[in-house]
Amino acid sequence: MSRDPLQKQRIVILGGGTAGWITANAMIDSWADQAIDITLVESPAIGTVGVGEGSTPRLKLFFDAIGIPESEWMPQCNATFKNGISFVNWSTKPGFERYFHPFPSQTDQFVTTGFYFNSFARRRGIDVHAHPDRFFLAARLSENRQGPKPDENFPFTVEYGYHFDANLVGKYLQAIATRRGVKHVQAQVLDVKQAPDGDIAGLVTDSAEIIEGDFFIDCSGFRGTLIQKTLQVPFRSFAENLFNDAAVVLPTEQVEQIGSETVATAMKHGWAWEIPLTSRIGNGYVYSSAFCSADEAETELRTHLDLLDSDTEARHLRMKVGRLEQHWHRNCLAVGLSQGFIEPLEATALNVVCNTVYDFIATVDADGFGETGRAAFNDRTSAGFERIRDYIVAHYLLNTRRDTDYWVQNAQNRHISDALQQILEIWTTGKSLNQEIERRQIQSSYTEMSWYCLLAGYGYYPDLRQVPGDEKYAGKVDMNEIDDFVRRCAMNFRSQNEQLQQ
Ligand SMILES: Cc1cc2nc3c(=O)[nH]c(=O)nc-3n(C[C@H](O)[C@H](O)[C@H](O)COP(=O)(O)OP(=O)(O)OC[C@H]3O[C@@H](n4cnc5c(N)ncnc54)[C@H](O)[C@@H]3O)c2cc1C
């Protein structure tokens, strides 16, 4: 179906979770001056997944694109600023028991050369400081519970993400989209009508209404009602290299000084997140059901949070980890959990949602709704999934815990992609990681800085040894100078609490 600009396109979105409402807003905003009619149908009885409370800086670009200022949406969604993620207890190597994965800032340009230099030396076994945290401003801001927005006189920008209440963000985006013209139908879809050629023709609701459309967006969550159940697009599981398939969620009370990072703490059979909102702290334990039961996971999380005697109810969830073979098939695009999911360790799902929707809009603008741009779009979207998967797999592969089979098997996992294998080899043989990342064009998902932080952060270095000519490395990067530089930069940022009140 190619697009005739004079003919009105009827777009029907199934699902009113974060993915559905982000899609609706992106489309109504991007195609404001076009003949497009958008209807979103969702079932309050089914509800949304209700988690997904951390973002990357991609979400800021989305809110900026649709013209919603932070001062408007953040207070209504109990949102806070996020500088990055701390990984705690994933490595047992002395000095590397925790590290911070920072979002980039312009000041990094003054320290990354020193960091790369020291990492390079340490990869050869030379005794220099090569843990990432002291080099990066975002790590310092998080340690101090400072927000990422500099005072006016500081001329460098800092990228940041958010933490937020997923249900409130959904409601907020719903209000914006409907105000801008998206039709909202609350009904359960019981059946899907297909045209003789196999395209989707309409959704049949529980009130026997048929919602017809020209193009359908499947935002129905893990169900994949349109793309998987109706159109039978195959799902490629990532279970062989990402073991986690379940989560248990428990909120706790917010503390006085609100933090500005997500904390991801390794547990016996997975990891626990800690996400600070203005109203509460969101906590959850992502684990593998092959290694522990839901009850064991809940008890371990309660112990971790000191909530063993609390009657706060825990919520249990299952996760389907992998991706579709095609995200756009016939007259249907899948966005959100219906198109696939990589477990939430780096909080990337909404990043993928935004990338998928805006890439789709650009593809349609260039080539219409027909087949022309479809294959390339699907390839790009799938490649994005694979790149994120590789980065997440690396976290598990590099863990050095040996306290449970779960961690041992993760470290021994050899179901890894050629790309990841190559990155690890290049790192251990002391070759240029930057060249490899550029050669593979994978920096759009994770830059070389992110890879350096991960590999160095886990202490993925050989044992220290005496190397002839060591002196040329020792003392070349003056860590006191680095500390002083980062400290002076951080003086230009207020606390998270103050920044939230501005
Ligand atoms: C444990 C966990 C932690 C996560 N953490 C993060 C994170 O930190 N950061 C991040 O970016 N992402 C995270 N995610 C992912 C994030 O939650 C989702 O990407 C996001 O919420 C979007 O979900 P969705 O809209 O695709 O699906 P859902 O929220 O499940 O919404 C599905 C919608 O479809 C509707 N629907 C389904 N079937 C029908 C039907 N037959 N008729 C009518 N309506 C129907 C439902 O009512 C609902 O409105 C996490 C996910 C999990 C499981």
Side-chain angles (χ1 to χ4, degrees):
M1 180 182 39
S2 65
R3 182 157 157 238
D4 172 355
L6 297 177
Q7 187 199 334
K8 196 166 203 169
Q9 282 286 325
R10 296 163 305 166
I11 294 180
V12 179
I13 301 171
L14 173 62
T18 327
W21 288 114
I22 286 180
T23 303
N25 275 288
M27 288 185 172
I28 198 92
D29 175 67
S30 302
W31 287 329
D33 56 356
Q34 308 214 18
I36 297 272
D37 175 280
I38 303 176
T39 302
L40 185 148
V41 51
E42 62 158 330
S43 160
I46 293 177
T48 65
V49 69
V51 281
E53 308 202 315
S55 87
T56 66
R58 184 68 185 82
L59 197 65
K60 178 169 181 353
L61 299 182
F62 164 71
F63 277 110
D64 289 349
I66 65 166
I68 305 290
E70 287 170 347
S71 55
E72 206 190 292
W73 77 267
M74 285 184 69
Q76 295 194 49
C77 301
N78 299 339
T80 65
F81 297 111
K82 169 180 171 184
N83 292 308
I85 307 172
S86 268
F87 294 89
V88 180
N89 292 343
W90 289 66
S91 172
T92 53
K93 290 201 171 176
F96 295 92
E97 295 86 352
R98 76 183 282 156
Y99 87 93
F100 184 75
H101 180 192
F103 292 136
S105 85
Q106 279 182 334
T107 62
D108 296 345
Q109 62 185 305
F110 303 110
V111 291
T112 36
T113 316
F115 173 48
Y116 292 174
F117 181 87
N118 273 11
S119 291
F120 178 75
R122 189 69 182 252
R123 280 155 69 193
R124 302 184 61 210
I126 297 165
D127 188 7
V128 291
H129 185 90
H131 186 291
D133 288 7
R134 276 168 71 186
F135 291 88
F136 292 102
L137 174 59
R140 178 70 65 100
L141 296 179
S142 288
E143 196 186 329
N144 297 345
R145 295 184 175 243
Q146 289 168 283
K149 298 178 72 126
D151 294 340
E152 256 171 35
N153 58 354
F154 190 71
F156 301 102
T157 54
V158 176
E159 288 189 36
Y160 56 89
Y162 306 103
H163 303 119
F164 46 83
D165 181 317
N167 293 319
L168 295 180
V169 164
K171 285 202 182 93
Y172 184 83
L173 289 174
Q174 172 189 325
I176 302 289
T178 48
R179 207 160 66 213
R180 294 179 177 183
V182 172
K183 290 183 200 123
H184 183 201
V185 177
Q186 298 203 39
Q188 189 162 337
V189 169
L190 299 180
D191 195 14
V192 180
K193 292 268 175 247
Q194 284 177 272
D197 66 358
D199 274 7
I200 296 175
L203 309 183
V204 186
T205 71
D206 49 1
S207 56
E209 186 192 357
I210 299 181
I211 304 172
E212 292 180 336
D214 302 305
F215 200 91
F216 291 80
I217 319 277
D218 187 344
C219 296
S220 64
F222 284 127
R223 285 178 166 78
T225 304
L226 306 182
I227 197 91
Q228 289 179 63
K229 293 211 176 105
T230 305
L231 297 182
Q232 299 283 310
V233 172
F235 185 83
R236 180 180 295 188
S237 169
F238 291 160
E240 63 180 15
N241 44 22
L242 288 173
F243 300 167
N244 296 341
D245 59 358
V248 49
V249 182
L250 259 176
T252 49
E253 280 177 25
Q254 185 48 279
V255 292
E256 207 171 298
Q257 283 296 322
I258 301 176
S260 49
E261 63 177 357
T262 298
V263 181
T265 306
M267 306 278 278
K268 279 190 194 155
H269 308 105
W271 60 278
W273 77 73
E274 180 189 320
I275 289 186
L277 311 188
T278 54
S279 51
R280 61 171 160 82
I281 295 179
N283 309 281
Y285 179 10
V286 178
Y287 63 94
S288 165
S289 65
F291 291 84
C292 88
S293 69
D295 279 352
E296 282 166 337
E298 182 175 333
T299 306
E300 197 189 340
L301 181 64
R302 284 187 183 279
T303 310
H304 173 67
L305 299 172
D306 204 11
L307 282 184
L308 266 181
D309 299 326
S310 155
D311 51 11
T312 310
E313 239 178 78
R315 208 154 70 80
H316 289 265
L317 297 157
R318 294 307 293 240
M319 310 185 305
K320 194 163 116 189
V321 176
R323 67 161 173 85
L324 292 173
E325 293 284 353
Q326 289 112 31
H327 308 266
W328 174 3
H329 182 61
R330 293 189 166 277
N331 64 337
C332 178
L333 169 75
V335 183
L337 297 173
S338 63
Q339 74 178 128
F341 179 54
I342 295 171
E343 66 134 282
L345 185 58
E346 290 273 354
T348 41
L350 295 183
N351 196 324
V352 173
V353 165
C354 293
N355 287 348
T356 304
V357 176
Y358 280 99
D359 190 357
F360 177 76
I361 289 169
T363 306
V364 168
D365 284 345
D367 298 318
F369 283 93
E371 274 183 31
T372 317
R374 193 192 297 168
F377 167 87
N378 280 326
D379 287 348
R380 284 193 299 275
T381 311
S382 292
F385 266 89
E386 312 268 311
R387 290 192 296 252
I388 295 172
R389 181 206 55 201
D390 283 353
Y391 194 78
I392 306 293
V393 169
H395 278 284
Y396 289 96
L397 205 58
L398 299 185
N399 96 82
T400 59
R401 294 172 66 108
R402 298 295 175 263
D403 53 329
T404 59
D405 274 357
Y406 171 87
W407 289 109
V408 173
Q409 288 192 28
N410 267 296
Q412 289 171 349
N413 174 22
R414 285 297 163 264
H415 294 287
I416 59 174
S417 71
D418 290 347
L420 177 55
Q421 185 69 45
Q422 190 70 19
I423 285 175
L424 298 178
E425 257 172 51
I426 280 175
W427 179 264
T428 42
T429 52
K431 294 193 191 124
S432 168
L433 194 57
N434 313 15
Q435 272 173 17
E436 175 65 8
I437 286 170
E438 214 170 298
R439 187 178 75 78
R440 289 192 179 262
Q441 291 291 300
I442 54 180
Q443 60 275 54
S444 60
S445 298
Y446 288 103
T447 60
E448 66 191 35
M449 190 267 267
S450 285
W451 279 104
Y452 264 94
C453 283
L454 189 153
L455 294 156
Y458 281 111
Y460 190 47
Y461 294 122
D463 291 339
L464 297 177
R465 61 201 170 99
Q466 283 295 316
V467 178
D470 270 12
E471 328 63 72
K472 72 174 184 242
Y473 293 100
K476 181 124 185 222
V477 177
D478 183 340
M479 287 311 295
N480 291 329
E481 259 179 38
I482 298 273
D483 287 341
D484 193 49
F485 171 76
V486 176
R487 184 186 56 78
R488 281 189 291 119
C489 287
M491 284 166 68
N492 296 286
F493 295 77
R494 306 202 182 160
S495 69
Q496 166 90 284
N497 283 22
E498 281 172 287
Q499 292 195 14
L500 289 171
Q501 276 154 19
Q502 276 169 10

